[in-house]
Amino acid sequence: MANVCVFCASSRTLDDRWLALATETGAELARRGHTLVSGGGCVGMMGAVTDGARAAGGRTVGVIPQSLVDLEVADLAADELLVTDGMASRKTLMVDKSDAFVTLPGGLGTLDELFEVWTTATLALHAKPMVLVDADGFYRPLLDWLGSLADRHFLKPAGMDLLMVADSVPAALDLIDARLT
């Protein structure tokens, strides 16, 4: 099947519902036969998504900068752990290794990854499907603001259309599966 990259939070202080969402994402990817590509960490939602994938028999690929390996947050149980020299090369390798992208709730790092992959898609540097999981309306304020950018001509409507939005993990993966077949 496909290599699906999941962007999500790595915070150690999240509510259990976000960890459960990440675990569900990993498990659902594995059930559908996809390989999980992640940021290579073992904490927060990033750790939960890889644990969910492995528990359901899935394959995991982690991409992590050496600086985070040195902090002992690397997912050493990954089927393949790729170590980069920095965060920028990490993002590049994650994009290169992936056929599609799912963005779960997260903070600045998650948004950085989302915007990087979305921006390169608007520049026609790739045509890989991207889905934002707006669980419990987490991203609603951001989506409203992004819509206003399009309304004011700072973002072309076609660019906005490149990012698909789903309110659940199964719906997100249905959108990806439909685009990949």
Side-chain angles (χ1 to χ4, degrees):
M1 295 300 295
N3 291 340
V4 179
C5 184
V6 175
F7 302 134
C8 59
S10 61
S11 172
R12 299 174 194 247
T13 59
L14 298 172
D15 288 343
D16 286 342
R17 69 182 172 147
W18 302 122
L19 299 173
L21 179 70
T23 301
E24 174 194 359
T25 302
E28 187 65 20
L29 283 168
R31 277 193 288 276
R32 293 177 186 229
H34 298 305
T35 294
L36 167 67
V37 177
S38 77
C42 63
V43 295
M45 290 175 73
M46 196 182 311
V49 74
T50 58
D51 290 346
R54 277 195 290 273
R59 183 172 189 280
T60 62
V61 175
V63 184
I64 189 167
Q66 183 63 52
S67 60
L68 294 181
V69 173
D70 295 343
L71 291 175
E72 299 181 352
V73 296
D75 177 21
L76 300 178
D79 294 300
E80 185 178 356
L81 186 64
L82 305 169
V83 180
T84 65
D85 61 0
M87 295 296 279
S89 56
R90 173 202 210 183
K91 283 190 296 186
T92 299
L93 190 54
M94 289 171 74
V95 171
D96 290 346
K97 287 275 186 190
S98 302
D99 302 308
F101 305 91
V102 172
T103 302
L104 298 177
L108 293 177
T110 303
L111 291 172
D112 175 54
E113 292 164 335
L114 167 65
F115 284 118
E116 173 90 14
V117 77
W118 190 10
T119 299
T120 54
T122 65
L123 297 171
L125 298 176
H126 72 83
K128 300 173 183 181
M130 304 166 292
V131 181
L132 182 72
V133 179
D134 187 28
D136 296 332
F138 183 89
Y139 284 114
R140 179 52 34 208
L142 176 64
L143 290 167
D144 290 344
W145 178 74
L146 290 166
S148 78
L149 288 180
D151 293 343
R152 293 181 279 178
H153 308 286
F154 284 99
L155 174 62
K156 294 178 182 176
M160 191 70 185
D161 293 342
L162 291 173
L163 182 65
M164 299 177 285
V165 179
D167 61 1
S168 71
V169 170
L173 295 180
D174 286 347
L175 288 168
I176 285 175
D177 288 343
R179 295 282 171 105
L180 292 176
T181 55

